[in-house]
Amino acid sequence: MKLKYAALIASLAFGVAGAANAADFVIKFSHVVAQDTPKGKAAEYFKKLAEERTKGRVQVQVFPNSQLYKDKEELEALQLGAVQMLAPSLAKFGPLGAKEFEVFDLPYIFDNYDELHKVTQGPIGMQLLSKLESKGIKGLAYWDNGFKIFSANKPLKSPADFKGLKMRIQSSKVLEEEMRSLGALPQVMAFSETYQALQTGVVDGTENPPSNMLTQKMHEVQKYATVTNHGYLGYAVIVNKKFWDGLPADVRTILDGAMKDATNYANKIAKQENDDDLAKIKASGKTQIYIPTAAERDAFKKALVPVHTKMDDRIGEGLVQLIYKQTGFTPN
Ligand code: LMR
């Protein structure tokens, strides 16, 4: 009797799950940041557009905050087909063998979003995405987050202040070199582990766009932050190529349109979101926000721009020079 009851409950549960998955196609979209961030909001917006426009034929399940997978695992999961869509930071493609993407990590290579968009929304950006195809991945779009600020439990006004500090970074060799150039000790660590590492002192500091710092509550465990805006952090939205190519053409066309609109949305809100989140960090009173003087900014640039030349060979294909040409960057 008991067993029968259990079987009934199980079959009901199955029925409910079956109803919830009545869609012809399910896209699991995994990411590592909070929902209340530029990426989190854009993922939700894509879900809304995709489901509405396909009239429910496609269901998008968004899993934020490393709920399903951490940084490294999510890339493996995508290649295995356990999830269909991700938007990893451009700093995380090196371990996949696509180290060209680390060009976006070069300190001070972009002064603002306009310069960046010349690359991400132009031929160089498209060319880079096409390199992922040999890895079973299709790149659909670039979504912005923002420019990074350094944080620690001591004031960071000059490169000398970084000496000996353990700094958490994403898995990018360019970021490793960046921290070394400041005399710091880079520690690669999953995003989901960073708050705790800062809280317990496993690392001393890190770098983030304000939206990530605030939504992971890192500002509660970092007393000082300097608005250096020394580097960019943004995303490539990627899908499992086999899954994407296997979709009926009409469905794919609708999803491409939804992605285009979600991309415009993401790139429209990113700057404001980060400005607002920086203001919230400041208002919390937990982190002292420091704006460097022109001379201090020059000192950071002097220490960090040589990273371009050091990493030129790793990035390869004259990509650094191509970007200089596109944005008008001059190294001095
Ligand atoms: C990080 O690991 O710091 C970021 O890549 C997290 C993210 O996805 O913005």
Side-chain angles (χ1 to χ4, degrees), residues 31-33 39 71 74 87-92 145 168-171 189-192 194 206-209 211-212 218 233-235:
H31 69 79
V32 301
V33 295
K39 175 162 67 177
D71 298 312
E74 70 172 16
S89 155
L90 301 168
K92 292 176 182 168
N145 189 343
R168 181 269 167 175
I169 55 163
Q170 307 171 84
S171 58
M189 187 177 286
F191 185 61
S192 56
T194 306
T206 187
E207 55 171 13
N208 273 302
S211 61
N212 279 354
M218 293 184 210
L233 191 156
Y235 311 105

Side-chain angles (χ1 to χ4, degrees), residues 184-237:
L185 306 167
Q187 312 266 313
V188 173
M189 187 177 286
F191 185 61
S192 56
E193 289 162 9
T194 306
Y195 169 84
Q196 207 182 353
L198 289 168
Q199 189 193 31
T200 55
V202 168
V203 290
D204 301 306
T206 187
E207 55 171 13
N208 273 302
S211 61
N212 279 354
M213 185 171 186
L214 178 78
T215 53
Q216 297 298 317
K217 300 191 181 353
M218 293 184 210
H219 66 298
E220 295 184 359
V221 288
Q222 294 278 268
K223 290 199 179 76
Y224 298 91
T226 303
V227 186
T228 37
N229 292 330
H230 60 279
Y232 171 73
L233 191 156
Y235 311 105
V237 184

Side-chain angles (χ1 to χ4, degrees), residues 21-180:
N21 283 335
D24 296 338
F25 306 99
V26 176
I27 297 177
K28 289 197 174 123
F29 185 164
S30 168
H31 69 79
V32 301
V33 295
Q35 211 160 323
D36 192 16
T37 55
K39 175 162 67 177
K41 288 183 175 176
E44 288 300 326
Y45 190 60
F46 171 71
K47 169 187 167 67
K48 178 178 175 301
L49 297 182
E51 291 180 352
E52 274 173 15
R53 292 181 188 174
T54 60
K55 303 198 170 39
R57 284 185 74 195
V58 172
Q59 187 190 35
V60 182
Q61 299 173 350
V62 182
F63 299 93
N65 250 328
S66 311
Q67 249 170 43
L68 275 191
Y69 299 107
K70 295 197 254 180
D71 298 312
K72 208 163 146 279
E73 291 91 349
E74 70 172 16
L75 281 162
E76 287 160 10
L78 185 81
Q79 287 180 298
L80 291 171
V83 293
Q84 289 70 37
M85 187 174 279
L86 309 173
S89 155
L90 301 168
K92 292 176 182 168
F93 285 82
L96 258 189
K99 47 192 176 26
E100 302 89 341
F101 283 83
E102 291 179 4
V103 77
F104 291 101
D105 300 330
L106 288 173
Y108 296 108
I109 192 159
F110 305 110
D111 262 344
N112 51 52
Y113 287 93
D114 284 347
E115 285 185 9
L116 168 84
H117 291 161
K118 287 186 182 157
V119 177
T120 52
Q121 311 305 323
I124 301 176
M126 295 310 116
Q127 167 78 15
L128 277 172
L129 290 183
S130 70
K131 288 186 182 291
L132 297 169
E133 305 226 347
S134 63
K135 305 176 197 310
I137 292 174
K138 189 167 173 59
L140 297 181
Y142 291 94
W143 285 0
D144 285 338
N145 189 343
F147 290 86
K148 292 175 288 186
I149 65 181
F150 285 121
S151 66
N153 282 319
K154 61 178 277 202
L156 300 170
K157 295 187 178 175
S158 75
D161 295 328
F162 286 72
K163 198 162 167 40
L165 287 187
K166 281 180 270 157
M167 298 292 280
R168 181 269 167 175
I169 55 163
Q170 307 171 84
S171 58
S172 155
K173 296 285 179 217
V174 167
L175 297 180
E176 253 179 67
E177 190 56 46
E178 171 198 282
M179 290 300 182
R180 286 220 179 87

